[in-house]
Amino acid sequence: MGDRTLNRGKDILWAVSIAGLAAGVLRFGLGLGAASGLNDASPWGLWIAFKLGFVALSGGGFTLAAMVYIFHLETYRPILRRAILLALLGYGSFIVSLLFDLGLPWHIYMPILNWQHHSVMFEIAWCVLLYFSVLIMEFGPVILEYPWFRGPFFQHIYHFLKWATVPLVILGIVLSTLHQSSLGALFLIMPHRVHTLWYSAWIPVMFFVSAIGAGMLALIVEGFIAQRLFGRGLKLDLLQRLGKIASFVLLLYLGLRLGDLTVRGVLPVSIDGSWQSMLFLGEVLLGGILPVILLLIPQVRAKPAGLLSAALLGAAGIVSQRMSLSLFTMWRPETAPYTPSGLEILIAFAIPAAAGLIYLLFTENLAVLEQELPVRQPDPYARPVFEPDSLVYQDTHWNGQLARRAGIGVLALALLAAVLPAQVVTGEAMPPVPVRAAQGWEMLLIDGDADGQAVQFPHAAHQARLSAEVGEAAACQTCHHLDRPVDVNSGCWECHGDYYQPSSIFDHTQHTALLGGNAACGECHAGEHRAATAVACETCHAQMIAPSGEDNFSYWAINYQDALHENCQSCHEQQAELQGTPELGQCGACHLGQLENQNLVLRGWGTP
Amino acid sequence: MIGILVDVTRCTGCNECVEACAQAHQFGEARHQPQEVGDGLSAVRWSAIVSSPEGQPVRKFCRHCVEPACVSVCPVGAMLKTEAGPVVYDPNKCMGCRYCMMACPYGIPRYEWDSAVPLVQKCNLCAERLDQGLLPVCVETCPEQALIFGERDELLALAHQRIAEAPGRYLDQVVGESEAGGSSVLYLSNVPLDFLNFSRAPGDAPFPDLSWNWLGKVPGISLATAGLMTGLFWIIGRRMQVEEARLAHPGGKEA
């Protein structure tokens, strides 16, 4: 425990943060579309869901402030500062996530200039802006206790903030009440998107109540994490009492949800066996009823493991409701299904990771966990300084941690660069790669992308072998479509014209010209002139092999690489099995690597 | 308030309106981005011809609702329902939150996903042409007179007149008369147009009401919370003082 866990934890947070920072640069460089999986059917995604979670888990800030200052429950003062810190970091994460999520983040000040009282998001923007400022002022005295701020200027601010505490707390409670509920109200205007098990006129109230619960449960979890990292600071008796209060809040939240479903008469939907109903049941049973029961049993609450698992379950249940509402149940497989991109996931996790580092910075240096300033731990990675005059090692370098973290950062960046697809790094759509036709006759040199890595294809040998097996005429058709007008030997490249991308193969202009211009529309189109009214190709081109598929004909030929692989592989794999020669089915059977002198190979025509 | 009446039965799906719109707004070729939904609408196509389940071509474009969800949710006023009727977009205010895209019951607004400075794109009913006294380019182009431009009231009257004159030709319903509070764009159709909705029929109540049901309570809630908290702070504090004084001086008068 203690130092080792703490340093491993920091390493991980640091690596994720640095990789996330790079991902953030990519997101702004490439734009929202290239960096995320968002689309026109799902313009909101993972980042919104995470933001709702951050704010829920920050609910402890205003809850504890109300308990200590308004209800004068001085017992809870020892954990007030961490509650404020968690809220500060939660809202900080919210705002940073928002900057990534907005398409034009440099317009983020616009709600201040253009008042729109009919917009829920306008209200949230103002509340979050103000509440974040309130949180900074509430946490300000803790920072100003640090020895750096002993000067009279800072002391004036310190005393002002202390003096203003109660008004600030009341303002904070009002702002929290408003935006915690309004975050839920964002979804009131989306009955067409939110699943009926989550959509309710009471979402705002549910969000408010669940934020109180989630805030308390997050504080319990934070208490155990701090204990594990620092070996101190666990106020178990306080957290147990907090857990008991949280169980009543959870109960109220569950009552609201189930009561609302009953009143709306959609309770049966929760057991209809769909994946949404499973998700709902999981949320309510595992993330709601189970933690309530656990927290209500004094024996369970008294055990650290019991308290912690109940708190984790309850917090997960509340976060899950928000993620289901804003993400999972909005998934639309029938149009453009949304899957978060790697960069999106990385950024979503990097923001709380960076917040975690700030948490550690503050708890290690400020009087957050205890009433007094913590004693600074010596740097475990500090290297001794050699003192040349005395020929002994004295003192330590200040940069031990820094060097280690820099190394981890570089590794994280290297890992990110390695896993990112090239297109994400360069941000370019794949350029067209026109296919180079195969060269030769009896021995073909196939090098579609002209990279010198050609395949030698013994065409004559294949032709002879197949002719012996199935006859002269059928032999060609084994590989060639022979489906173009007067087609006897068209090459693959003629239709599969791009190495990596599909090519359009229907030439409307040519058809119009051959059939006699605009007067001939009726030859192919029944009635109006559009794709859907056109006759199928095989109506006229009976000799063509109609491609299989539901729409009878598609205007697209698959890319050259896939076309050739499919053509050769199917037969090769079959023959490999029949002849008991596995090497025939392997890549190396055709791909012989770099060919030193292609002319030499071409000169050897006819060799099988 | 002006609008467009779409007589679906006259539409042949020739795509002329879509092309004319793209040309008038200088969109260029369709881009086929992976983010597009597949109905033909995109950041560079403000309208599209979609096929009803029965195979009837129907023009899909912004409804220019009388009380638009997109306008009501916009936190910066980038979406605006003009007096004349069009719902227009101001890129200089937009911060890119995409709430309008989420709120639209018809799923109309689209995003410039391929841009590093992305804007929302949707039909503006050719507001710039209306200012010059011109017709919307789609109305001007339609070879079948399937699109009719005019005052919304007159279009509604015309629609009902057409239904009355040819009851067998149309379903007895003008889509857009009352859906989600009504819209400037109206449809006369021989097939149900439910497939144009994002996922389900929006109902007749204006969408902004859904938010306003909550937002209207916000001032009251803030005042009540502030009052309650101040009162509780004072009363509990005062009673604790009294209690402490009583404990310090048992039998004496309160401090």
Side-chain angles (χ1 to χ4, degrees):
Chain A
M1 270 199 238
D3 272 354
R4 201 183 142 74
T5 323
L6 183 61
N7 281 307
R8 288 296 164 276
K10 276 188 197 169
D11 290 349
I12 294 168
L13 292 178
W14 185 252
V16 176
S17 305
I18 291 290
L21 195 65
V25 172
L26 283 175
R27 177 253 170 272
F28 285 113
L30 303 180
L32 204 51
S36 76
L38 298 168
N39 60 44
D40 278 334
S42 306
W44 284 5
L46 189 68
W47 291 335
I48 297 271
F50 264 57
K51 273 186 267 178
L52 296 178
F54 295 148
V55 173
L57 298 173
S58 305
F62 79 98
T63 309
L64 264 285
M67 286 164 72
V68 172
Y69 287 108
I70 306 299
F71 297 95
H72 298 267
L73 296 170
E74 288 293 326
T75 343
Y76 291 98
R77 191 178 280 277
I79 54 170
L80 176 61
R81 285 185 162 189
R82 16 170 107 188
I84 304 285
L85 176 57
L86 280 193
L88 187 67
L89 296 173
Y91 279 87
S93 303
F94 177 97
I95 292 171
V96 175
S97 305
L98 183 67
L99 288 173
F100 284 103
D101 197 24
L102 289 180
L104 308 168
W106 47 92
H107 279 175
I108 196 170
Y109 63 93
M110 282 292 174
I112 302 174
L113 302 185
N114 304 288
W115 284 39
Q116 303 294 322
H117 63 279
H118 44 68
S119 166
V120 180
M121 194 176 288
F122 167 77
E123 186 230 311
I124 294 173
W126 266 102
C127 283
V128 168
L129 174 72
L130 291 176
Y131 186 52
F132 190 62
S133 314
V134 166
L135 279 170
I136 291 174
M137 288 193 272
E138 283 183 350
F139 195 71
V142 185
I143 295 177
L144 292 175
E145 282 167 13
Y146 196 72
W148 287 357
F149 306 107
R150 291 263 158 80
F153 172 71
F154 293 114
Q155 286 303 305
H156 280 304
I157 300 178
Y158 179 83
H159 288 297
F160 170 75
L161 292 178
K162 280 281 184 186
W163 172 79
T165 300
V166 172
L168 278 177
V169 164
I170 292 176
L171 182 60
I173 293 167
V174 173
L175 291 169
S176 295
T177 311
L178 292 186
H179 74 257
Q180 287 283 6
S181 49
S182 288
L183 274 174
L186 277 181
F187 298 90
L188 288 178
I189 203 162
M190 304 177 201
H192 51 294
R193 284 181 181 267
V194 181
H195 189 265
T196 182
L197 286 173
W198 283 268
Y199 185 83
S200 154
W202 287 83
I203 303 178
V205 184
M206 289 175 200
F207 262 53
F208 174 65
V209 174
S210 68
I212 297 178
M216 292 178 170
L217 298 173
L219 269 175
I220 296 175
V221 176
E222 184 269 344
F224 284 99
I225 294 176
Q227 172 71 24
R228 176 121 171 88
L229 292 180
F230 302 113
R232 65 193 162 86
L234 185 66
K235 314 272 190 287
L236 197 55
D237 53 329
L238 271 187
L239 295 187
Q240 281 161 1
R241 293 163 71 169
L242 203 60
K244 191 175 173 185
I245 303 175
S247 72
F248 293 120
V249 179
L250 271 182
L251 210 54
L252 176 60
Y253 157 71
L254 280 176
L256 271 170
R257 276 194 87 175
L258 297 176
D260 166 70
L261 287 185
T262 320
V263 172
R264 285 192 294 130
V266 290
L267 205 52
V269 182
S270 66
I271 46 167
D272 69 358
S274 61
W275 65 268
Q276 289 98 337
S277 71
M278 298 296 172
L279 183 60
F280 174 83
L281 287 180
E283 249 173 58
V284 169
L285 296 177
L286 292 178
I289 294 172
L290 180 62
V292 167
I293 295 174
L294 288 177
L295 287 172
L296 282 176
I297 302 171
Q299 289 85 346
V300 176
R301 224 187 313 138
K303 287 200 186 69
L307 184 64
L308 178 60
S309 36
L312 282 171
L313 280 173
I318 290 168
V319 171
S320 166
Q321 184 232 0
R322 294 174 179 230
M323 297 194 79
S324 304
L325 184 74
S326 63
L327 186 66
F328 303 142
T329 65
M330 287 198 179
W331 204 64
R332 298 194 172 276
E334 72 277 10
T335 52
Y338 161 72
T339 324
S341 72
L343 284 184
E344 220 176 333
I345 297 172
L346 182 55
I347 291 174
F349 282 100
I351 291 166
L357 284 177
I358 299 175
Y359 168 85
L360 292 174
L361 178 76
F362 281 179
T363 44
E364 281 183 339
N365 292 291
L366 302 171
V368 175
L369 298 181
E370 312 286 350
Q371 296 297 317
E372 63 277 355
L373 285 173
V375 184
R376 193 86 174 92
Q377 298 296 316
D379 182 351
Y381 297 103
R383 285 158 300 166
V385 175
F386 183 68
E387 223 279 300
D389 292 338
S390 55
L391 296 179
V392 291
Y393 283 96
Q394 289 183 338
D395 206 352
T396 50
H397 262 299
W398 58 272
N399 58 359
Q401 291 264 18
L402 193 74
R404 182 184 163 77
R405 294 279 131 71
I408 289 169
V410 171
L411 281 178
L413 285 181
L415 194 66
L416 180 68
V419 298
L420 277 176
Q423 257 169 286
V424 172
V425 179
T426 62
E428 284 165 11
M430 186 174 285
V433 182
V435 167
R436 186 170 74 171
Q439 302 162 54
W441 173 241
E442 290 181 350
M443 171 66 84
L444 289 186
L445 201 66
I446 303 174
D447 185 8
D449 58 349
D451 67 345
Q453 307 249 11
V455 164
Q456 293 178 67
F457 177 67
H459 186 265
H462 275 79
Q463 199 179 358
R465 212 165 30 240
L466 280 164
S467 296
E469 272 180 38
V470 295
E472 195 85 23
C476 296
Q477 232 177 57
T478 312
C479 300
H480 293 271
H481 298 293
L482 297 187
D483 56 0
R484 281 152 51 104
V486 295
D487 191 0
V488 284
N489 63 347
S490 55
C492 308
W493 57 275
E494 292 178 41
C495 290
H496 304 280
D498 191 281
Y499 196 73
Y500 293 110
Q501 290 167 68
S503 323
S504 173
I505 53 170
F506 176 73
D507 192 339
H508 187 265
T509 318
Q510 197 194 2
H511 277 78
T512 316
L514 283 173
L515 291 170
N518 280 342
C521 297
E523 302 236 351
C524 302
H525 293 280
E528 310 89 50
H529 179 218
R530 58 194 167 102
T533 62
V535 294
C537 303
E538 64 264 29
T539 318
C540 306
H541 304 283
Q543 78 278 24
M544 288 189 182
I545 302 163
S548 61
E550 287 181 9
D551 56 350
N552 209 350
F553 188 82
S554 105
Y555 297 131
W556 297 90
I558 60 168
N559 70 58
Y560 187 77
Q561 191 183 37
D562 285 351
L564 264 70
H565 275 149
E566 275 178 30
N567 203 4
C568 302
Q569 270 177 5
S570 51
C571 198
H572 263 239
E573 280 163 10
Q574 207 181 348
Q575 290 301 323
E577 213 162 289
L578 284 174
Q579 301 178 15
T581 50
E583 64 278 5
L584 197 61
Q586 289 164 355
C587 305
C590 306
H591 294 280
L592 304 171
Q594 191 80 27
L595 295 177
E596 287 299 325
N597 188 337
Q598 301 192 354
N599 285 328
L600 281 180
V601 180
L602 284 171
R603 244 178 262 140
W605 291 357
T607 43
Chain B
M1 188 190 304
I2 54 91
I4 291 179
L5 174 64
V6 185
D7 189 332
V8 171
T9 62
R10 284 171 173 251
C11 178
T12 63
C14 70
N15 236 32
E16 295 285 336
C17 55
V18 177
E19 293 303 324
C21 170
Q23 220 157 45
H25 300 104
Q26 289 156 16
F27 287 141
E29 292 292 305
R31 293 194 205 137
H32 302 297
Q33 301 281 324
Q35 286 91 356
E36 288 171 16
V37 177
D39 58 359
L41 287 188
S42 71
V44 294
R45 285 294 176 274
W46 281 354
S47 67
I49 303 293
V50 291
S51 186
S52 82
E54 298 83 0
Q56 169 68 47
V58 179
R59 183 169 193 244
K60 181 172 181 176
F61 62 119
C62 175
R63 302 288 183 93
H64 298 276
C65 301
V66 176
E67 294 183 54
C70 57
V71 172
S72 83
V73 298
C74 183
V76 294
M79 286 283 180
L80 182 69
K81 173 83 178 172
T82 56
E83 295 262 326
V87 174
V88 295
Y89 168 73
D90 179 359
N92 295 323
K93 288 181 181 170
C94 180
M95 59 180 194
C97 70
R98 308 185 294 290
Y99 196 7
C100 50
M101 302 176 70
M102 293 297 286
C104 177
Y106 309 108
I108 294 296
R110 301 300 155 103
Y111 211 51
E112 292 179 345
W113 295 107
D114 56 343
S115 168
V117 188
L119 303 177
V120 174
Q121 293 288 353
K122 67 173 259 319
C123 164
N124 66 351
L125 225 138
C126 282
E128 74 286 349
R129 285 173 60 93
L130 296 181
D131 287 345
Q132 301 164 18
L134 296 170
L135 284 177
V137 72
C138 52
V139 176
E140 200 174 86
T141 310
C142 181
E144 307 287 340
Q145 285 83 48
L147 302 172
I148 304 148
F149 179 84
E151 284 293 320
R152 184 170 183 268
D153 304 337
E154 291 167 18
L155 291 177
L156 269 175
L158 174 66
H160 284 293
Q161 187 193 335
R162 283 195 181 182
I163 293 174
E165 281 170 5
R169 187 178 164 100
Y170 304 107
L171 298 178
D172 186 15
Q173 174 197 22
V174 182
V175 175
E177 184 170 16
S178 60
E179 281 78 8
S183 54
S184 287
V185 170
L186 305 163
Y187 284 92
L188 256 183
S189 177
N190 54 341
V191 293
L193 296 181
D194 286 338
F195 69 95
L196 285 179
N197 299 324
F198 183 81
S199 67
R200 55 175 227 173
D204 284 351
F207 260 49
D209 287 0
L210 292 167
S211 300
W212 190 252
N213 287 341
W214 168 252
L215 276 175
K217 300 190 178 83
V218 160
I221 292 174
S222 29
L223 284 179
T225 318
L228 185 71
M229 288 300 139
T230 316
L232 282 175
F233 165 75
W234 186 79
I235 288 181
I236 298 175
R238 178 73 190 146
R239 292 190 59 165
M240 283 175 73
Q241 268 182 6
V242 172
E243 187 67 10
E244 273 163 24
R246 197 180 60 78
L247 290 174
H249 309 282
K253 287 218 160 191
E254 71 176 57

